[in-house]
Amino acid sequence: MQTAALSPSPPRARKGPYAELLNELNRDRTPLAQVEHDATVPFGPALRVERFVLGNGLRVLVVEDHAAPVVCIQTWFGVGSRHEREGKTGIAHLFEHLMFGETESSPHGAFDRTLEEAGAETNAATFLDWTYYHMNLPADALELSMRLEADRMTKLILRDPQVSSEKEVVANERRQRVDDDVDGAVSELLYKEAFREHAYRCPTIGWMEDIKGLTTEDCVAFYRTYYSPNNAAMVVVGDVQMKQVLRLVQDNYGSLPSATIPLEDVHPESPQTEERRLRVEKPTPTQKVAIGYKSPALGDFDHAPLVLLNEILFGGRSSRVHRALVQQKELASEVRGWVGAFRDPALYDVFLSARGEHTCEELIAALDEVLEGVRAKAVLPEELDKAKARVELAVLQGLETVSGKAEQIGFYEIVLGDPGALFERLAVYRRVTLGDLLRVARRYLVTSARTVIEVIPDGSEDDDEDEAEGEEAEEAAS
């Protein structure tokens, strides 16, 4: 019997739009530094997102936009305050500060100083589902920026002095933005009351006692777990060449190991069956109301119609709630609404501020009357057309800069896994019908499933005014 000779099969030729380029880039690279093309995703009528994956799991999303010699680099990590453990809240946000500190390669302050000297600007943000870091820079500073960004992903120095210093900064930030700020404190209380099981009940900035209790060991463990290339998506938008970007990614990130990302222990929120209402006293001159209606997740079919309904209710001076509460009844000085854009079901936030001596009860009764109108019958076709136009304009205005494009790509990649989802949402907005709005109004604007925080003046504002008037009188008398 003749036996076929056993010999290694020849390497399979790469196929796809970047086959030749990737063969060149991957030659003599280690497995961690091998880069593969994952997908081409349309981003509007003229641009496209090219998504690549490095051997260590780092996702790289590139949009060539040669309108101006500038670049935006954003690194999105799939970790936000929802991933924190009980008693360790605030650690995701703390890293937003720590990441601008000392690394094994550069002293404290060198990161910002070096980039500023190159003409770049940097910042960061943390929220419930994500954390991201961004740089806007001249196109010729791309190599420098990528080297510094990769350096702090794995070589950040976390010792007691650095951690203690940044904890104090964050504690002061919390005092200013939450403890001494009525709107911040009420928003935090609203989410705490509305969620009993889901991690969205905890504030991104963290509870004060948790911030103070975070240790250096906590930070090291968090950093090694979540700040790894396989938990990140790098977005590069601007005046770049694909080969240039991919080679720099390989050079700077190709030696970084991946990490084991723990399974997220999600506790879905049970249906709310009765209204929750609290009354608190705060240093405010007039009464205020914060209401949270349960809202769908960003990826839910109902999310887009609810956004349009919110635009009809609260979008500008001609909106229904503004006309009713501010202009006609003169009950409120400010009204606003916002539908949460999160991975899991969250809240539709409504905020009302009373005018003069008007009360929370008057505000809520007037709001309920307006909401009953959109639950009882469909809004007018011209109202829906106007809402679509306003929302679409706001979306497109956010894409005027390279940083605006990068932010939308990174956000939708991390939250929905689709960097081009923004344009799909625009298409969905255009398809929303009057019936869709009627459905979401009846499904989500439900009194028994809302949480209400009534804010009453604690009198301190009156004391301040009396004191000021007294001082003015004394000055006048002297």
Side-chain angles (χ1 to χ4, degrees):
M1 183 173 66
Q2 187 175 0
T3 304
L6 297 176
S7 61
S9 57
R12 190 167 52 185
R14 296 182 185 280
K15 297 180 180 179
Y18 293 95
E20 187 175 338
L21 172 63
L22 295 181
N23 278 328
E24 177 189 343
L25 291 172
N26 287 333
R27 192 172 300 126
D28 300 325
R29 293 283 187 174
T30 66
L32 290 180
Q34 297 278 321
V35 62
E36 299 285 347
H37 182 246
D38 182 57
T40 298
V41 182
F43 191 70
L47 300 175
R48 62 185 186 185
V49 181
E50 297 294 351
R51 181 163 58 191
F52 300 85
V53 181
L54 210 59
N56 56 19
L58 177 68
R59 286 165 284 168
V60 183
L61 300 101
V62 185
V63 174
E64 291 190 35
D65 182 351
H66 303 287
V70 294
V71 180
C72 179
I73 299 177
Q74 296 187 355
T75 305
W76 288 72
F77 290 92
V79 61
S81 54
R82 64 178 288 158
H83 301 90
E84 296 166 343
R85 292 185 290 117
E86 198 75 30
K88 304 296 180 186
T89 64
I91 193 168
H93 173 255
L94 177 63
F95 264 86
E96 183 188 315
H97 293 253
L98 289 167
M99 286 288 282
F100 290 86
E102 183 180 0
T103 73
E104 296 173 13
S105 309
S106 60
H108 182 75
F111 183 88
D112 279 336
R113 185 176 62 252
T114 304
L115 287 169
E116 286 174 5
E117 289 172 353
E121 57 183 29
T122 66
N123 211 330
T126 311
F127 210 4
L128 302 177
D129 294 330
W130 44 258
T131 303
Y132 84 97
Y133 300 85
H134 81 252
M135 302 178 183
N136 294 324
L137 49 126
D140 59 7
L142 180 63
E143 189 279 334
L144 169 70
S145 305
M146 206 170 286
R147 174 163 52 82
L148 292 174
E149 195 64 279
D151 181 57
R152 67 176 176 172
M153 184 184 283
T154 58
K155 296 180 180 178
L156 192 66
I157 290 180
L158 295 169
R159 298 191 182 119
D160 289 345
Q162 290 89 351
V163 172
S164 297
S165 175
E166 293 306 330
K167 280 170 53 178
E168 188 55 37
V169 172
V170 171
N172 285 332
E173 182 181 344
R174 184 189 156 83
R175 292 185 188 100
Q176 294 175 5
R177 291 173 49 187
V178 180
D179 300 340
D180 297 334
D181 183 88
V182 174
D183 287 356
V186 171
S187 177
E188 181 178 281
L189 182 59
L190 179 66
Y191 275 70
K192 181 185 177 186
E193 285 300 311
F195 293 99
R196 299 289 170 81
E197 299 164 70
H198 197 282
Y200 287 168
R201 70 184 182 281
C202 296
T204 297
I205 199 168
W207 305 116
M208 182 63 90
E209 59 271 28
D210 289 353
I211 296 170
K212 292 180 176 179
L214 292 172
T215 67
T216 301
E217 290 73 24
D218 293 330
C219 294
V220 171
F222 188 88
Y223 182 60
R224 290 177 178 170
T225 300
Y226 293 109
Y227 279 72
S228 58
N230 57 318
N231 197 40
M234 167 178 283
V235 184
V236 181
V237 179
D239 189 20
V240 297
Q241 300 295 326
M242 198 66 69
K243 181 178 180 180
Q244 170 199 24
V245 172
L246 295 178
R247 190 183 294 281
L248 287 173
V249 168
Q250 288 180 302
D251 292 344
N252 291 284
Y253 292 87
S255 63
L256 308 185
S258 56
T260 301
I261 309 301
L263 182 71
E264 188 182 0
D265 187 17
V266 180
H267 293 268
E269 193 70 16
S270 300
Q272 184 174 336
T273 56
E274 60 182 18
E275 183 188 86
R276 300 168 188 165
R277 187 176 293 217
L278 287 181
R279 172 168 286 207
V280 295
E281 293 186 352
K282 294 289 180 183
T284 173
T286 64
Q287 298 194 20
K288 302 177 188 298
V289 179
I291 304 174
Y293 293 91
K294 289 297 193 301
S295 69
L298 179 65
D300 193 288
F301 183 76
D302 283 342
H303 194 273
L306 191 57
V307 169
L308 292 174
L309 181 59
N310 174 64
E311 187 64 32
I312 292 168
L313 292 170
F314 290 95
R317 296 176 58 83
S318 62
S319 65
R320 288 197 177 198
V321 176
H322 194 282
R323 280 190 284 118
L325 273 67
V326 178
Q327 300 169 40
Q328 296 168 1
K329 297 182 179 180
E330 299 184 343
L331 294 173
S333 59
E334 181 184 4
V335 297
R336 61 177 187 264
W338 178 70
V339 182
F342 301 110
R343 182 179 300 165
D344 289 343
L347 291 186
Y348 174 19
D349 295 8
V350 170
F351 177 83
L352 312 171
S353 182
R355 180 175 182 178
E357 300 300 318
H358 290 292
T359 66
C360 295
E361 289 79 6
E362 292 176 280
L363 292 173
I364 295 171
L367 175 69
D368 283 345
E369 186 177 333
V370 176
L371 299 188
E372 179 54 33
V374 296
R375 284 194 299 261
K377 65 177 184 180
V379 301
L380 300 174
E382 52 266 35
E383 287 183 294
L384 177 56
D385 291 342
K386 180 181 176 183
K388 290 180 179 180
R390 284 176 59 93
V391 169
E392 183 165 340
L393 177 62
V395 169
L396 296 178
Q397 283 179 329
L399 300 177
E400 291 177 346
T401 63
V402 290
S403 61
K405 296 184 183 77
E407 186 170 308
Q408 295 301 322
I409 292 168
F411 171 77
Y412 282 103
E413 170 70 15
I414 287 294
V415 178
L416 296 183
D418 180 359
L422 176 69
F423 286 93
E424 174 56 28
R425 284 187 65 81
L426 281 177
V428 171
Y429 286 136
R430 295 174 189 134
R431 293 196 296 266
V432 169
T433 67
L434 296 174
D436 291 330
L437 298 194
L438 197 58
R439 183 188 71 252
V440 298
R442 291 170 176 170
R443 179 173 293 170
Y444 297 103
L445 302 182
V446 179
T447 302
S448 61
R450 73 183 180 186
T451 301
V452 180
I453 308 296
E454 299 177 349
V455 186
I456 309 300
D458 64 1
S460 60
E461 292 280 325
D462 295 336
D463 295 340
D464 292 343
E465 290 178 5
D466 292 343
E467 187 175 338
E469 290 174 359
E471 291 175 353
E472 290 175 2
E474 289 179 5
E475 290 176 2
S478 63

